[in-house]
Amino acid sequence: MLTGIYIKSVLNNNFKQVFDYCLQIDKIPNNKLNDFGKKLEVAMKVLVPIKRVIDYNVKVRVKPDNSNVDLTNVKMAINPFCEIAVEEAVRLKEAGIATEIVAVSIGDKSCQEQLRTALALGADRAIQIDTDQNLDSINVAKLLQKVVEEEQPQLVLLGKQAIDSDNNQTGQMLGALTGMPQGTFASIVKVEGDKVNVTREVDGGLQTVALNLPAIVTTDLRLNEPRYASLPNIMKAKRKPLAVKAAGDFGIDLSPRTTLIKVTPPAERQAGIIVESIDELVEKLKNEAKVI
Amino acid sequence: MSILVIAEHDNASLKADTLKTVAAASAIGGDIHVLVAGANCAAAAADAAKAAGVSKVLVADNAAYENQLAENVSLLITELAGDYGHILANASTTGKNFMPRVAALLDVAQISEIIAVESADTFVRPIYAGNAIATVQSLDATKVITVRATGFDAVETNGSAEVVALSNATDAGTSSFVGAELTVSERPDLGAASVVISGGRGMQNGENFHLLDGIADKLGAAIGASRAAVDAGFVANDMQVGQTGKIVAPDLYIAVGISGAIQHLAGMKDSKVIVAINKDAEAPIFQVADYGIVADLFDALPELESKL
């Protein structure tokens, strides 16, 4: 009976429900139940959506026709916040809490490069949702919702924002679509039983919330310092499974919800002057700029 | 259609940035309602009723909304959304937390951090850490928008809107508030200060940040920091100015020992006057500074303090 329920729970990933059911069966000796409880606790799948973006050190140029920024021949990389999400998942696995890490990215074939990076950093397998469309966050969240339904992760770790669109939306939207609670802008993540405690970076300082699992967590910069992938791990990552699924096969309406009308460079600041002394600086601020 | 502005508050008073979000709503044009969701938040609602241009303040006073948990507040806003063409909130950590959830529940896109309104469906927002400015048109029936406070001037507080109590109480029951550690400071709020003085890695340690205190006191300034200073543990993270921290646009921004990385500039380059104090004459900060001085900050700061 116990084994049967355990196998069923593993197959369905519905640990909480099965565990609660077990608690009602009073015939199971307490010591066995405790062992069982521990087993349920450690079986946790983590889903990490990642995005391929322009490298954070690159200064972008706007196209002369103002249609968008120019991304031809520009260095691309894994979004820094996504890298932190991968690192956190790997740390949860190293701590014996997470059992499997699945990385997922939405984009054309080129985003497989970033998925391989995630695999080299410690993800177990990867899924590329193939599309060459530039998707609004709501459509990204809908595709991820399908992945969540399929994979049934206990925790979804995302970056808080992508450094290209600067939207800061996807994690929260995925929370709404899946009904999962969210811990956004996380600087500390602690899994405790069937809950996760998330310390969040908020405007006035820090705030801690407790979320029922399964839950969504979006990472802030101070959550951790991502490791570098070692060469052996990069080699190993080439053999890890990477599934490709066409975005069109999910049966979701992915038509755009916004139109990008134009992109312009920001107003250039006038070149300033170098002053020679603090006296001169104070004089200029008082009499020329009139700001003090 | 009417516009719903979600008030930001701590139950006891309204956050000043809400008045800037009301200004953005006025730029769109239409009847403006403000929602105050909280617990024992009558005082905040009374503040909101004074915002010019607001015709009605809706108050959802319930324990479920005390800490404005995104799971609960997003359900409340979604319930009310049917009456509104636009839903606006501050692009603060609170607004950024619950608004995308609202958008997804309504099955619409969100337009984040707008800095200008072109028309009722077209908005201007920075992308790529402020290195490009996008004009975006929303194709959805309901426009869910967060507003960057530095893009708008606060409306007056001479209004007298009708205050209506709502009986809604929605608790998703999936999350709970555990605690908060808020930074207590006598200085003006970083986002609202007219003068900001920020330290970077060049400050060398947290102790040295006290060199900024005297100058901040004399100028009535808020103290900020670069990510490098926060990461090195010199100061708390809520002082961070930049793409992923706070966006400021004061009259005067003094950058001390800050090199001027893209990500830091994203948070302050709309300041009216920028002063850079740095001993590296090649530091990128000098390319955006109106006034720069190439000097060791440990000599320059005490001298500046004595001469103000």
Side-chain angles (χ1 to χ4, degrees):
Chain A
M1 178 68 186
L2 195 60
T3 320
I5 292 169
Y6 183 66
I7 290 168
K8 186 169 171 255
S9 72
V10 171
L11 288 175
N12 293 346
N13 271 303
N14 201 353
F15 305 123
K16 175 78 174 69
Q17 196 184 336
V18 177
F19 186 48
D20 288 347
Y21 176 61
C22 288
L23 285 172
Q24 292 166 11
I25 307 171
D26 55 10
K27 281 179 190 161
I28 301 173
N30 266 334
N31 58 340
K32 281 239 169 152
L33 199 57
N34 287 342
D35 288 350
F36 184 41
K38 271 181 208 146
K39 264 185 198 164
L40 291 183
E41 242 176 60
V42 296
M44 171 189 258
K45 188 194 280 188
V46 182
L47 182 71
V48 189
I50 61 171
K51 186 176 183 186
R52 173 183 167 92
V53 297
I54 190 167
D55 184 89
Y56 72 97
N57 277 316
V58 175
K59 190 155 192 307
V60 296
R61 283 182 316 273
V62 171
K63 285 182 186 170
D65 66 357
N66 288 344
S67 60
N68 208 332
V69 298
D70 192 354
L71 292 182
T72 44
N73 299 321
V74 168
K75 188 181 173 201
M76 302 295 276
I78 183 168
N79 180 43
F81 290 96
C82 303
E83 208 173 356
I84 292 168
V86 173
E87 175 67 30
E88 194 64 16
V90 174
R91 288 186 190 192
L92 284 172
K93 194 175 174 191
E94 286 169 348
I97 297 168
T99 44
E100 189 185 24
I101 303 168
V102 182
V104 56
S105 192
I106 301 171
D108 64 19
K109 200 167 183 292
S110 60
C111 76
Q112 288 188 9
E113 195 187 322
Q114 278 62 47
L115 285 169
R116 290 289 174 202
T117 305
L119 292 170
L121 291 170
D124 295 296
R125 58 188 173 87
I127 303 167
Q128 181 217 344
I129 299 180
D130 189 54
T131 175
D132 45 21
Q133 236 182 306
N134 198 1
L135 298 173
D136 288 312
S137 307
I138 181 76
N139 290 335
V140 170
K142 284 182 175 180
L143 286 169
L144 293 177
Q145 181 196 1
K146 293 288 177 190
V147 179
V148 166
E149 277 167 16
E150 229 162 75
E151 298 284 342
Q152 295 284 319
Q154 288 291 93
L155 194 63
V156 186
L157 273 165
L158 306 91
K160 78 164 178 181
Q161 75 190 65
I163 58 162
D164 52 359
S165 58
D166 280 336
N167 273 325
N168 196 332
Q169 298 173 357
T170 305
Q172 295 90 315
M173 287 180 161
L174 183 60
L177 297 176
T178 57
M180 290 185 199
Q182 65 188 45
T184 51
F185 328 142
S187 59
I188 303 171
V189 176
K190 273 191 193 148
V191 178
E192 284 164 1
D194 60 355
K195 282 193 193 309
V196 56
N197 270 19
V198 179
T199 299
R200 309 177 51 231
E201 303 211 350
V202 295
D203 284 334
L206 298 171
Q207 181 198 66
T208 304
V209 290
L211 312 173
N212 295 352
L213 291 173
I216 307 265
V217 171
T218 76
T219 63
D220 216 316
L221 285 171
R222 266 162 296 282
L223 181 58
N224 61 47
E225 196 152 317
R227 69 193 68 191
Y228 291 98
S230 66
L231 189 59
N233 284 346
I234 293 170
M235 298 310 287
K236 265 187 232 161
K238 290 183 177 166
R239 293 190 301 273
K240 287 185 179 176
L242 192 160
V244 180
K245 298 178 182 192
D249 292 351
F250 288 90
I252 304 168
D253 174 14
L254 295 175
S255 49
R257 306 303 194 83
T258 56
T259 310
L260 187 59
I261 294 183
K262 64 174 179 187
V263 175
T264 54
E268 285 289 323
R269 287 192 76 95
Q270 295 292 324
I273 56 163
I274 297 289
V275 296
E276 297 302 326
S277 68
I278 292 290
D279 283 321
E280 191 187 347
L281 176 65
V282 172
E283 190 273 321
K284 296 265 189 211
L285 290 177
K286 274 190 178 144
N287 302 322
E288 196 175 279
K290 296 187 173 49
V291 284
I292 58 172
Chain B
M1 282 273 266
S2 303
I3 301 172
L4 183 65
V5 171
I6 317 301
E8 175 146 12
H9 63 90
D10 58 1
N11 293 314
S13 64
L14 191 74
K15 292 271 166 72
D17 283 353
T18 305
L19 299 175
K20 297 179 179 176
T21 302
V22 172
S26 305
I28 294 166
D31 198 19
I32 302 171
H33 297 178
V34 174
L35 170 68
V36 179
N40 301 315
C41 55
D47 282 353
K50 292 185 197 129
V54 174
S55 69
K56 202 190 273 185
V57 175
L58 309 171
V59 188
D61 198 325
N62 190 284
Y65 308 131
E66 184 176 1
N67 297 294
Q68 286 155 51
L69 294 171
E71 295 77 11
N72 300 349
V73 172
S74 60
L75 290 173
L76 168 71
I77 299 168
T78 310
E79 272 177 42
L80 302 171
D83 299 335
Y84 300 96
H86 295 78
I87 303 173
L88 276 65
N90 298 343
S92 61
T93 50
T94 314
K96 286 176 182 175
N97 190 35
F98 64 72
M99 282 296 259
R101 220 170 154 107
V102 172
L105 290 171
L106 296 172
D107 191 11
V108 301
Q110 175 184 293
I111 315 283
S112 293
E113 300 215 30
I114 64 162
I115 54 168
V117 174
E118 292 258 297
S119 71
D121 66 0
T122 306
F123 309 93
V124 180
R125 60 179 301 265
I127 52 175
Y128 292 89
N131 288 303
I133 306 296
T135 304
V136 184
Q137 183 178 26
S138 165
L139 307 173
D140 288 311
T142 309
K143 276 80 172 153
V144 173
I145 295 165
T146 60
V147 177
R148 183 177 285 191
T150 56
F152 298 87
D153 293 324
V155 296
E156 302 284 322
T157 48
N158 53 7
S160 55
E162 176 195 2
V163 178
V164 181
L166 299 175
S167 57
N168 305 51
T170 321
D171 192 341
T174 50
S175 64
S176 57
F177 174 81
V178 176
E181 267 177 69
L182 301 181
T183 311
V184 182
S185 169
E186 302 281 299
R187 299 187 193 287
D189 184 50
L190 193 53
S194 59
V195 181
V196 173
I197 182 162
S198 288
R201 200 193 294 276
M203 299 300 290
Q204 294 182 5
N205 61 47
E207 273 302 294
N208 290 335
F209 262 76
H210 291 302
L211 291 169
L212 305 178
D213 287 345
I215 300 170
D217 287 340
K218 286 190 171 172
L219 295 173
I223 297 181
S226 69
R227 182 189 164 194
V230 175
D231 278 354
F234 299 173
V235 291
N237 62 277
D238 56 312
M239 288 169 67
Q240 187 187 327
V241 172
Q243 181 185 17
T244 66
K246 293 210 173 65
I247 312 288
V248 301
D251 293 337
L252 173 61
Y253 188 89
I254 306 174
V256 184
I258 292 175
S259 65
I262 294 172
Q263 292 77 18
H264 186 73
L265 299 182
M268 45 64 81
K269 69 180 177 184
D270 292 327
S271 304
K272 217 171 277 170
V273 174
I274 297 173
V275 170
I277 301 174
N278 205 304
K279 65 179 176 190
D280 175 11
E282 304 296 314
I285 191 78
F286 287 118
Q287 291 160 23
V288 299
D290 299 279
Y291 302 107
I293 182 160
V294 182
D296 189 326
L297 65 94
F298 295 102
D299 301 327
L301 289 177
E303 193 184 345
L304 178 60
E305 184 181 344
S306 70
K307 292 196 168 143
L308 285 170

